[in-house]
Amino acid sequence: MDTKIGSLDTCKPSCNDLACPANGLVSTIQSSVSPSSIVNPSESTLGRHLARRLVQVGVTDVFSVPGDFNLTLLDHLIAEPGLNLIGCCNELNAGYAADGYARSRGVGACVVTFTVGGLSVLNAIAGAYSENLPLICIVGGPNSNDYGTNRILHHTIGLPDFSQELRCFQTVTCFQAVVNNLEDAHELIDTAISTSLKESKPVYISIGCNLPAIPHPTFSREPVPFALSPKLSNKMGLEAAVEATAEFLNKAVKPVLVGGPKLRVAQASDAFVELADACGYALAVMPSAKGLVPEHHPHFIGTYWGAVSTAFCAEIVESADAYLFAGPIFNDYSSVGYSLLLKKEKAIILQPDRVVIANGPAFGCVLMKDFLRALSKRLKRNTTAYDNYHRIYVPEGIPLKCEPKEALRVNVLFQHIQKMLSSETAVIAETGDSWFNCQKLKLPKGCGYEFQMQYGSIGWSVGATLGYAQAVPEKRVIACIGDGSFQVTAQDVSTMLRCGQKTIIFLINNGGYTIEVEIHDGPYNVIKNWNYTGLVDAIHNGEGKCWTKKVRCEEELIEAIEEATGPKKDCLCFIEIIVHRDDTSKELLEWGSRVSAANSRPPNPQ
């Protein structure tokens, strides 16, 4: 039997996926900072140093929830002119907001209080870890005098051991710093932040609540900007990998390229496009890489997602005699329940610093972007796969036209959302059927796109929309959120209003957890219906710019979109779309049945 790339035993992650944020901010410094200037002794504090460091690396907004252990630290963050402190309704959303912010800016930050805040934000930090996002999670910790005293503190589980929160963060962060004295605070903070940037993962910094305001000589000068040592490819390994890959691909009749989500962490999207330009291969993306590769590329053929791929894409990819996957993640969701029809002996798998060629050689210490650029000079141009795609391609049909006042269908909704997209918009897709419907949107040049596929935490999109919109105020974010997910994190629509954001939220009200219905149905997938527009109106409460609308048919949808993009273009617009419970994409139906089959496999014989 052919070895499936989407199978469990061939999906081991690369041991060392290190990269810096894609926005290039890690080694820059804001023009207002003079690294040689001496700080007023009364201001040479830990709190000021941390605030300046955040601004240096590109963080201008920090998402927070106050608690008694972090209040003094928050005072110092507020005092930093280049930093905007954004108070969120709960720690989970603060973490999700930092996640969304990091997707655009290259790094994000949140501040919470000890244990009750730390354990609440933990789920969001785990999601950022799974998505390779640099995120600085700062916790206001206990008074430094309380460590080692056998005292019991509030906000803990009632034991004198203060390490519970730290132990929880150790598995979802790449570095942990517990700052409970000023002597090594400078080193710990700088090491934590630089490690987050280098490894493109979250870090944890706990700061004793009595330390932020105390001057110390180590903070007597403006922080010198980071000069992170660039990662370099092993030249001999790079040449050997390129030579072997070029020989493999140049022998193929109809090779293809497939981009994966680790293009982001490898900062290799541009190099991947350069390779596509040079070789002429058909170009596809995995679902979690949507938005990382320009869809207006002349050889782009869509999303490769096994049985639920874009029309005609899977046929081209799976019939190819060679495929190069750049930065893939083959999990049960992306492989549609381990059902991809791929053969390992035909595949070249690139990870951020590793190349594996079919069943043959593997090359370490080879950076993906270096490899792709070098390979582009060695491949013969071959357009066979794209030519085959062009021959078999049949344009997609359009949804059946709605009768007057007919109940709105989801496919009609997304037909209208497609028309809203431009270089001045970005799409945030919530976990659920929006994954599949948004995947079919054709992104214009410059249109942003984000979703959380690896971790798949429902409710992520509310906080992520807040953070992403704050990071790129020049874009109008269009968020597609299911009702079940919205109920998890709805409160921070309030924070969007406080920040004056102009997001358009399409709340798809179908009465339940539709994605779970298609995997395994039961009464637990039915939720209590809310008056969602009424809820947002109550949150609005006359403060800020907000407009809401319930939509039940296409005529009302057209009016709502015209209003949201016209007279209400400077408002946060919340449009509740009421659809039938069973109105789902055909892709979800297929995907759900295959994932269900994977989940229900019986135990292997002992």
Side-chain angles (χ1 to χ4, degrees):
M1 186 175 71
D2 294 329
T3 300
K4 301 291 199 314
I5 291 179
S7 65
L8 287 170
D9 59 347
T10 59
C11 303
K12 294 175 183 175
S14 169
C15 61
N16 188 20
D17 297 342
L18 308 187
C20 298
N23 65 347
L25 289 170
V26 297
S27 60
T28 64
I29 187 166
Q30 302 297 316
S31 58
S32 61
V33 176
S34 174
S36 61
S37 61
I38 297 175
V39 178
N40 184 319
S42 65
E43 296 178 353
S44 59
T45 62
L46 181 160
R48 185 182 187 279
H49 175 80
L50 177 60
R52 298 303 287 151
R53 269 291 186 231
L54 292 174
V55 173
Q56 268 190 5
V57 299
V59 174
T60 55
D61 302 273
V62 175
F63 303 91
S64 69
V65 177
D68 59 329
F69 286 126
N70 70 13
L71 298 178
T72 303
L73 176 60
L74 296 183
D75 288 340
H76 286 267
L77 298 182
I78 290 173
E80 167 54 49
L83 209 55
N84 178 32
L85 192 69
I86 297 176
C88 296
C89 297
N90 60 57
E91 292 87 358
L92 179 61
N93 276 337
Y96 286 154
D99 171 312
Y101 193 91
R103 288 166 183 268
S104 175
R105 287 288 183 91
V107 60
C110 60
V111 183
V112 298
T113 196
F114 185 56
T115 306
V116 290
L119 298 190
S120 182
V121 79
L122 192 67
N123 188 51
I125 303 304
Y129 188 96
S130 76
E131 301 274 327
N132 297 298
L133 297 173
L135 198 159
I136 301 160
C137 180
I138 303 161
V139 175
N143 186 293
S144 62
N145 297 304
D146 289 329
Y147 283 89
T149 61
N150 210 36
R151 290 173 177 156
I152 295 176
L153 293 183
H154 68 288
H155 288 344
T156 70
I157 59 172
L159 298 176
D161 176 7
F162 301 159
S163 67
Q164 181 199 17
E165 178 184 82
L166 169 64
R167 296 197 307 273
C168 291
F169 273 92
Q170 283 173 337
T171 58
V172 295
T173 55
C174 66
F175 186 86
Q176 306 82 38
V178 178
V179 180
N180 53 24
N181 72 78
L182 291 172
E183 295 300 322
D184 60 358
H186 188 287
E187 179 184 3
L188 284 172
I189 289 170
D190 283 7
T191 302
I193 294 174
S194 62
T195 302
S196 179
L197 300 177
K198 286 188 289 187
E199 300 203 16
S200 199
K201 294 282 189 184
V203 293
Y204 164 85
I205 304 174
S206 173
I207 297 176
C209 63
N210 59 326
L211 301 182
I214 301 174
H216 192 270
T218 55
F219 306 120
S220 61
R221 289 181 178 268
E222 289 284 358
V224 175
F226 287 129
L228 301 178
S229 300
K231 292 190 68 186
L232 301 174
S233 294
N234 178 310
K235 289 186 177 180
M236 292 180 65
L238 174 61
E239 175 58 30
V242 170
E243 182 179 350
T245 302
E247 181 182 2
F248 184 90
L249 291 175
N250 285 335
K251 288 179 181 176
V253 176
K254 45 184 180 178
V256 298
L257 300 176
V258 184
K262 290 186 181 179
L263 283 170
R264 187 206 300 268
V265 70
Q267 300 182 63
S269 291
D270 290 344
F272 186 65
V273 174
E274 287 176 26
L275 176 63
D277 290 339
C279 69
Y281 296 0
L283 171 64
V285 294
M286 299 182 75
S288 48
K290 187 176 178 70
L292 299 180
V293 175
E295 298 186 6
H296 60 276
H297 190 279
H299 284 182
F300 184 75
I301 64 172
T303 298
Y304 174 63
W305 199 353
V308 295
S309 299
T310 305
F312 306 105
C313 180
E315 291 82 355
I316 295 299
V317 172
E318 293 178 345
S319 67
D321 55 348
Y323 12 78
L324 185 152
F325 280 83
I329 295 178
F330 293 108
N331 62 24
D332 51 340
Y333 275 15
S334 66
S335 67
V336 197
Y338 313 115
S339 66
L340 301 183
L341 300 179
L342 300 175
K343 296 180 179 179
K344 187 177 180 183
E345 61 267 24
K346 295 181 178 181
I348 295 171
I349 305 296
L350 311 185
Q351 294 299 349
D353 59 358
R354 189 170 183 80
V355 180
V356 180
I357 301 175
N359 290 316
F363 304 89
C365 298
V366 175
L367 295 188
M368 186 189 294
K369 60 182 176 182
D370 294 343
F371 174 83
L372 292 171
R373 289 200 166 107
L375 183 64
S376 68
K377 299 178 176 66
R378 303 280 287 274
L379 291 185
K380 299 174 184 175
R381 189 165 180 83
N382 185 340
T383 61
T384 303
Y386 182 76
D387 294 340
N388 289 344
Y389 170 80
H390 189 69
R391 275 189 285 270
I392 68 172
Y393 177 74
V394 177
E396 292 183 31
I398 59 174
L400 294 174
K401 185 170 177 60
C402 291
E403 298 294 329
K405 301 298 181 181
E406 178 188 346
L408 185 61
R409 299 191 304 274
V410 171
N411 56 13
V412 173
L413 165 65
F414 280 89
Q415 183 184 25
H416 287 279
I417 291 176
Q418 176 68 67
K419 298 172 185 176
M420 299 172 67
L421 304 185
S422 71
S423 61
E424 297 177 348
T425 60
V427 176
I428 304 288
E430 176 58 84
T431 300
D433 198 24
S434 290
W435 274 4
F436 303 91
N437 288 305
C438 290
Q439 196 68 223
K440 291 184 282 188
L441 294 172
K442 293 177 175 61
L443 302 181
K445 183 178 181 180
C447 181
Y449 186 91
E450 296 293 344
F451 78 131
Q452 189 197 55
M453 185 170 188
Q454 173 57 40
Y455 201 57
S457 183
I458 66 169
W460 163 85
S461 65
V462 176
T465 295
L466 165 64
Y468 192 96
Q470 193 65 25
V472 278
E474 66 274 14
K475 284 188 183 289
R476 194 163 195 196
V477 177
I478 298 171
C480 299
I481 309 175
D483 50 352
S485 296
F486 186 73
Q487 288 194 6
V488 178
T489 50
Q491 306 98 305
D492 271 281
V493 169
S494 171
T495 311
M496 297 178 195
L497 287 168
R498 290 177 70 186
C499 294
Q501 295 181 358
K502 54 186 181 181
T503 295
I504 300 175
I505 296 175
F506 287 100
L507 187 286
I508 302 168
N509 182 352
N510 55 13
Y513 299 121
T514 304
I515 190 169
E516 295 174 8
V517 168
E518 302 309 331
I519 296 174
H520 183 100
D521 201 6
Y524 31 75
N525 289 326
V526 178
I527 61 175
K528 171 72 175 68
N529 190 35
W530 291 2
N531 179 356
Y532 294 97
T533 53
L535 172 67
V536 174
D537 287 337
I539 291 172
H540 175 213
N541 196 28
E543 298 178 20
K545 295 181 179 180
C546 181
W547 177 77
T548 64
K549 179 73 173 178
K550 281 187 194 290
V551 167
R552 294 180 173 83
C553 62
E554 185 177 19
E555 293 89 340
E556 292 176 353
L557 175 65
I558 292 170
E559 291 176 7
I561 291 174
E562 288 176 350
E563 187 79 6
T565 56
K568 305 299 182 183
K569 65 180 180 180
D570 294 324
C571 297
L572 186 146
C573 296
F574 185 90
I575 303 173
E576 180 182 351
I577 308 293
I578 299 171
V579 296
H580 192 278
R581 180 177 186 267
D582 295 324
D583 186 357
T584 67
S585 64
K586 71 178 183 66
E587 290 81 8
L588 174 57
L589 298 176
E590 176 71 27
W591 179 90
S593 64
R594 289 175 182 254
V595 170
S596 176
N599 287 351
S600 58
R601 288 167 295 163
N604 291 328
Q606 298 300 315

